[in-house]
Amino acid sequence: MSEEQIAFHVSYALVESAEGEDPTAVASELLRAERVLAASRGSDGGEAVFLIPVTESGAVVSLDADDRLRFDLSALALQQKFDDAGLTLHLGASDDALEEVDQELDEQFGAAFEQLDDPAAASEDLGGFGMPDSVDDDGFAVQPVTVAEFSRRGPWGARITAQITGADVEYVETETWSLYRYATGGTHLAVTSGRADNPIIEVNLPEHGEAWIEVTADGGTGMFWPNIERFTQPLLDVDTIAVPQSAEVYRRMLLEADGTGDELRGLRLGVALDIDAAVRACAPEALGGTVGELERIGAFVAAFGVPASLVAAGIDGNGAGQRYAPRGWPRTVIDLAVGGVAELTALTRRERPLARAARFLRERPALGAAISVAEFTAGVAAGRSRSAATRGIGVLMVCDAIIDLAIWVRRSRARGH
């Protein structure tokens, strides 16, 4: 078997019926008759989606009578068999086909985008151009999304996220992991202060459509759709394939069709991630993948080591945490200052000396105020020095002490409530 034959890509093939009937049954029988290593992805009316492996040379990967891989069935020959059965098989898109699609999109939406580019033009009735009636200021449809962000960040990020999104953010903390949960119909990005916050696992649960997950780590950002392969059904019985190598090729093709494993390895998280568990969460249920829509999302997040109780709080919304509301940037900055080092420190670094000292003083605001008074006194004394440099340091100490005193007063009042 040549390397050219072994190297194949999985094509998301579309099958159409001229009569508008569901073509799944007929198409499945055709593929089984040729023993193609294919899988069904479901149907929508007169269209059905299949996974079909095709080599670089245009050969469809199939099995012979002895369950060995064969490459003598061309993609064109397979398409002809579908044509003879009254079906149309689309295996990928040629350059000509892509140009044709671009032309159709331009004809359908070109007028709408020209209108959007012209501020003087009326743009209230975009539905007349095939565009959604409900759009935001940028001309894109607004879709409500519930967001659950799992990371090592403290409350500081929840305050900023609330201000950026204009939505209340619920903060829940368990062990060295935290959850930010909020609902928004606008642009939302995960705020971070550095590598210590990583990984940031952002679960997006739209009101309609598939949930998706964005994972940010040192290796970059990966996008994942745990449920996209949920109902994928192999057309051949993997367990009955007599040749182990052929069965392994088929199984790996089905498990890696969405590229989850490669994307996860690219994040370079090492032992911090159970890749096998994450891949299993995205694998077809028919091949041992996690069963259930929300269960798959939860299993994927848990593969990063997030505690089960926090995963449940993020997905089900049953957490009982602190709620942060948008309060304007000046107030947000003040709240961040009052929160201090204790809130800004990543949860994995809370036992370091500086964080422990900050937490010790935060729990004793009177002691913190006394230290600030001492700093103020020392600053005043330094300000009377004959040395210009010493006087400058004294002014800085006085300013810092005044700010600290204001913060300690705010903290004392907060503890009193």
Side-chain angles (χ1 to χ4, degrees):
M1 189 183 303
S2 68
E3 289 186 8
E4 183 181 0
Q5 289 176 323
I6 295 175
F8 63 85
H9 65 272
V10 180
S11 175
Y12 284 76
L14 179 67
V15 178
E16 294 178 314
S17 170
E19 288 75 20
E21 299 177 353
D22 187 350
T24 303
V26 176
S28 298
E29 285 304 315
L30 284 172
L31 293 169
R32 287 194 187 98
E34 294 296 331
R35 306 203 70 199
V36 177
L37 298 184
S40 170
R41 278 287 310 278
S43 63
D44 181 14
E47 299 179 344
V49 178
F50 290 85
L51 302 181
I52 299 179
V54 182
T55 67
E56 295 295 332
S57 60
V60 178
V61 184
S62 311
L63 297 179
D64 61 18
D66 297 323
D67 284 351
R68 298 185 181 279
L69 297 178
R70 69 183 180 98
F71 305 90
D72 56 354
L73 175 64
S74 70
L76 290 176
L78 183 61
Q79 287 175 317
Q80 184 59 53
K81 291 179 183 293
F82 274 75
D83 287 340
D84 295 341
L87 302 177
T88 302
L89 172 63
H90 300 280
L91 270 173
S94 64
D95 291 339
D96 292 339
L98 290 175
E99 290 179 5
E100 188 175 320
V101 170
D102 287 340
Q103 184 177 356
E104 290 179 359
L105 289 175
D106 184 61
E107 291 175 356
Q108 185 176 4
F109 298 117
F113 285 115
E114 288 177 8
Q115 192 177 51
L116 288 173
D117 291 335
D118 183 5
S123 58
E124 296 179 357
D125 187 18
L126 295 176
F129 294 103
M131 298 289 285
D133 291 325
S134 176
V135 295
D136 62 13
D137 293 337
D138 296 322
F140 294 96
V142 176
Q143 183 183 26
V145 178
T146 297
V147 183
E149 298 179 7
F150 303 90
S151 69
R152 311 292 188 152
R153 297 167 296 178
W156 69 270
R159 297 184 189 276
I160 294 179
T161 300
Q163 185 57 35
I164 291 175
T165 62
D168 287 0
V169 176
E170 183 180 14
Y171 175 80
V172 183
E173 184 181 305
T174 302
E175 299 174 10
T176 58
W177 285 91
S178 68
L179 162 68
Y180 300 171
R181 193 174 195 276
Y182 55 95
T184 179
T187 303
H188 56 281
L189 297 173
V191 295
T192 176
S193 63
R195 297 175 60 182
D197 296 335
N198 294 336
I200 299 176
I201 307 157
E202 183 180 332
V203 179
N204 298 271
L205 302 167
E207 186 175 324
H208 305 290
E210 293 285 356
W212 76 96
I213 299 175
E214 299 176 36
V215 179
T216 300
D218 295 340
T221 299
M223 301 280 289
F224 305 92
W225 287 264
N227 290 306
I228 197 170
E229 299 286 354
R230 181 184 174 191
F231 296 120
T232 297
Q233 290 286 339
L235 296 186
L236 304 180
D237 189 344
V238 182
D239 296 330
T240 62
I241 297 177
V243 179
Q245 293 85 350
S246 300
E248 180 61 18
V249 169
Y250 192 23
R251 183 180 295 276
R252 286 189 59 185
M253 182 204 91
L254 296 170
L255 293 177
E256 299 176 7
D258 62 349
T260 296
D262 292 338
E263 191 82 7
L264 288 170
R265 281 184 281 273
L267 294 176
R268 301 195 298 272
L269 285 169
V271 296
L273 167 65
D274 185 345
I275 288 186
D276 290 339
V279 170
R280 190 163 54 249
C282 298
E285 292 184 4
L287 290 176
T290 304
V291 177
E293 182 178 356
L294 294 180
E295 288 78 5
R296 292 166 69 87
I297 296 172
F300 184 88
V301 175
F304 292 83
V306 182
S309 60
L310 200 63
V311 174
I315 296 175
D316 301 332
N318 57 1
Q322 179 69 39
R323 187 170 295 275
Y324 296 94
R327 310 176 71 178
W329 282 113
R331 184 64 179 271
T332 299
V333 171
I334 292 174
D335 289 342
L336 289 172
V338 173
V341 175
E343 284 195 4
L344 295 172
T345 303
L347 303 189
T348 53
R349 296 180 174 180
R350 280 190 168 176
E351 295 308 313
R352 294 189 177 185
L354 178 60
R356 293 176 64 182
R359 191 164 62 248
F360 177 84
L361 290 176
R362 185 185 178 94
E363 295 170 353
R364 299 165 178 82
L367 176 60
I371 294 175
S372 296
V373 169
E375 181 185 14
F376 179 84
T377 303
V380 170
R384 296 172 179 172
S385 172
R386 294 181 179 180
S387 169
T390 303
R391 288 198 301 272
I393 294 174
V395 171
L396 292 176
M397 292 177 65
V398 169
C399 293
D400 182 64
I402 293 173
I403 294 172
D404 287 345
L405 278 171
I407 291 174
W408 288 117
V409 169
R410 290 289 298 272
R411 287 177 179 172
S412 297
R413 289 179 177 176
R415 286 176 62 88
H417 293 304

